[in-house]
């Protein structure tokens, strides 16, 4: 202590047992006092120690308010453009009205026929989103599309080649394609 | 005097060599150097190009998925969550949107992405509440937690 009196202010932080030594220190066990351990990523569990308290009445009130707002908006039809996420032809498409979709396989419908897409996963407008778990009800959303064109893809080359083995195979793959135009997405005024 | 054996000496050595060569060279017209003109070089270059295209079609699916995942991770970090937490909680809440669509929403529909992040966060809190409960050990169990209380 006598040696460091000249620079007492600077060296005060080197005193042992001072809490300023390791600002983010903690003890190994709260029952043992003395040894301080630096705080690492594994000092405390990754979940929060104190979860925010749940008030079920408050939650129910908020949910009722949200549902009534969205229901009112749907009934008045004052949302703008709707978009929907539709599961079709083993793919998910984010779709709006007047969209064109190219599907890489053959559909049984003929050109000009209307198709209704039933597996709707999500519908959104500017102010609200309806998320399905996993699908939205059939009587809630209606997505309609028309078949515009049924063609074949450009001839893709599938070539295999092993060097020094005199092996090469060339195949030309032409896949049927269908073009759909999404006519409309409609919401029915019914939510709970 | 008619030379009858003259016509036997004239043979057609394949009338369509030009078109067979053009079939291959037309695929190489946008290459650099002599391989866009000369058949011997073009054959090798076109074969490599076709093989790379075939392999690339399989790799493209992997790259696209990695891209979607990194986009979703970036967007979820903007809302204070991590990618694995978001996806795991969305699956647990039985929301079956794929990474393609979620990355699309993160770019074009930020408010819908925020609502998905909130769904995942709520499910995470529910999970913690179910796991941690009161923070007390069940009755009859004697452990460090009980000692410290």
């Amino acid at each position: 202590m006598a040696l460091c009196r000249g620079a007492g202010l600077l060296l005060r932080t080197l005193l042992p047992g001072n809490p300023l030594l390791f600002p983010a220190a903690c003890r190994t066990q709260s029952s043992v006092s003395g040894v301080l351990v630096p705080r690492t990523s594994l000092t405390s569990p990754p979940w929060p120690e104190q979860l925010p308290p749940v008030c079920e009445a408050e939650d129910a009130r908020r949910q009722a308010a949200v549902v009534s707002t969205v229901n009112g908006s749907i009934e008045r039809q004052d949302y703008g453009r709707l978009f929907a996420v539709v599961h079709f032809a083993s793919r998910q498409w984010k779709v709006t009205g007047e969209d064109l979709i190219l599907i890489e396989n053959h559909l049984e419908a003929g050109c000009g026929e209307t198709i209704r897409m039933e597996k709707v996963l999500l519908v959104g407008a500017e102010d609200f989103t309806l998320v399905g778990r996993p699908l939205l009800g059939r009587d809630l959303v209606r997505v309609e599309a028309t078949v515009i064109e049924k063609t074949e893809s450009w001839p893709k080359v599938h070539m295999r080649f092993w060097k020094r083995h005199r092996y090469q195979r060339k195949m030309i793959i032409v896949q049927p394609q269908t073009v759909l135009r999404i006519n409309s997405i409609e919401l029915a005024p019914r939510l709970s | 005097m008619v030379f009858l054996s003259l016509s036997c000496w004239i043979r057609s050595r394949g009338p369509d060599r030009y078109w067979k060569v053009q079939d291959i060279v037309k695929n190489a017209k946008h290459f650099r150097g002599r391989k866009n003109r000369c058949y011997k070089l073009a054959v090798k270059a076109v074969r490599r190009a076709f093989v790379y295209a075939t392999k690339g079609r399989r790799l493209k699916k992997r790259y696209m998925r990695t891209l979607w995942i990194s986009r979703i991770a970036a967007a979820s970090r903007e809302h204070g969550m991590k990618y694995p937490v978001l996806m795991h909680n969305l699956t647990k809440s039985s929301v079956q949107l794929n990474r393609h669509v979620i990355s699309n929403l993160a770019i074009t529909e930020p408010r819908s992405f925020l609502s998905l992040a909130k769904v995942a966060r709520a499910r995470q809190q529910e999970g913690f509440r179910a796991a941690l409960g009161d923070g007390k050990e069940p009755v009859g169990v004697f452990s460090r937690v009980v000692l410290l209380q």
Side-chain angles (χ1 to χ4, degrees):
Chain A
M1 291 302 138
L3 283 168
C4 52
R5 197 183 298 169
L9 277 168
L10 282 172
L11 295 177
R12 208 191 311 165
T13 50
L14 290 177
L15 282 173
N18 196 306
L20 292 172
L21 174 59
F22 294 111
C26 64
R27 300 175 186 280
T28 44
Q29 283 173 298
S30 43
S31 48
V32 172
S33 60
V35 178
L36 287 174
V37 166
R39 190 168 282 275
T40 59
S41 61
L42 292 177
T43 344
S44 57
W47 52 81
E49 271 191 39
Q50 276 290 344
L51 285 169
V54 176
C55 181
E56 275 161 34
E58 179 74 34
D59 279 346
R61 240 182 296 128
R62 270 197 212 138
Q63 193 184 341
V66 165
V67 165
S68 68
T69 329
V70 175
N71 255 336
S73 169
I74 295 176
E75 264 156 39
R76 275 170 281 134
Q77 303 265 318
D78 64 353
Y79 42 77
R81 181 175 269 271
L82 279 178
F83 75 90
V85 171
V86 152
H87 185 284
F88 190 74
S90 79
R91 256 161 256 127
Q92 293 181 9
W93 310 81
K94 181 190 156 286
V95 139
T96 5
E98 307 157 20
D99 254 1
L100 279 175
I101 284 188
L102 179 70
I103 302 188
E104 289 275 340
N105 54 20
H106 173 72
L107 285 187
E108 288 300 328
C111 285
E113 289 181 17
T114 321
I115 287 182
R116 187 197 165 176
M117 298 191 180
E118 301 202 340
K119 295 184 198 164
V120 182
L121 296 153
L122 192 142
V123 166
E126 201 190 324
D127 290 322
F128 62 88
T129 328
L130 303 175
V131 179
R133 286 173 168 224
L135 294 175
L136 290 171
R138 285 190 62 199
D139 36 1
L140 187 58
V141 204
R142 192 179 171 90
V143 180
E144 299 208 326
T146 331
V147 179
I148 290 189
E149 194 186 338
K150 296 176 82 164
T151 48
E152 292 175 333
S153 71
W154 64 285
K156 296 185 188 172
V157 176
H158 181 89
M159 184 127 183
R160 287 172 291 167
F161 173 74
W162 287 352
K163 56 184 177 186
R164 298 185 294 271
H165 284 79
R166 303 196 189 179
Y167 172 84
Q168 68 176 359
R169 301 280 183 268
K170 183 172 160 184
M171 189 161 82
I172 302 206
I173 302 178
V174 172
Q175 275 173 337
Q177 286 175 337
T178 323
V179 179
L180 295 180
R181 166 90 69 184
I182 308 292
N183 298 119
S184 64
I185 306 175
E186 286 145 21
L187 270 186
R190 190 196 60 84
L191 265 185
S192 62
Chain B
M1 208 158 61
V2 183
F3 294 101
L4 290 171
S5 50
L6 204 73
S7 55
C8 298
W9 296 329
I10 301 169
R11 293 176 305 146
S12 166
R13 289 171 63 207
D16 52 357
R17 179 182 303 166
Y18 170 76
W19 289 283
K20 284 186 183 169
V21 162
Q22 282 304 303
D23 259 347
I24 301 221
V25 170
K26 77 174 188 254
N27 294 109
K29 279 304 181 193
H30 59 282
F31 291 176
R32 182 192 266 218
R34 269 195 271 182
K35 44 189 198 275
N36 62 22
R37 297 183 291 281
C38 310
Y39 179 74
K40 272 176 106 161
L41 306 173
V43 157
K44 297 183 240 177
V46 163
R47 186 190 294 149
R48 277 176 92 79
F50 283 155
V51 167
Y52 284 154
T54 318
K55 288 187 191 165
R57 260 179 262 134
R58 301 166 62 121
L59 289 176
K60 181 177 172 183
K61 300 164 182 54
R62 297 179 210 175
Y63 294 155
M64 291 303 284
R65 189 174 161 117
T66 323
L67 180 67
W68 297 330
I69 289 177
S70 53
R71 283 183 176 172
I72 298 173
S76 54
R77 271 161 204 266
E78 277 179 13
H79 296 304
M81 271 177 103
K82 295 188 186 172
Y83 168 82
V85 169
L86 177 76
M87 296 310 289
H88 188 48
N89 290 108
L90 281 183
T91 338
K92 282 200 279 194
S93 324
S94 56
V95 172
Q96 283 174 20
L97 295 165
N98 63 9
R99 284 141 186 87
H100 174 53
V101 147
I102 298 181
S103 65
N104 218 334
L105 291 178
I107 296 169
T108 52
E109 317 279 346
R111 294 165 99 178
S112 299
F113 186 81
L114 178 60
S115 66
L116 288 176
K118 283 184 180 168
V119 165
R121 178 69 85 194
R123 180 64 183 81
Q124 190 193 32
Q125 302 288 325
E126 262 183 65
F128 286 155
R129 247 183 284 279
L132 295 173
D134 295 329
K136 295 194 179 66
E137 290 283 332
V139 176
V141 175
F142 200 60
S143 76
R144 190 165 54 97
V145 178
V146 172
L147 274 177
L148 289 171
Q149 275 172 358

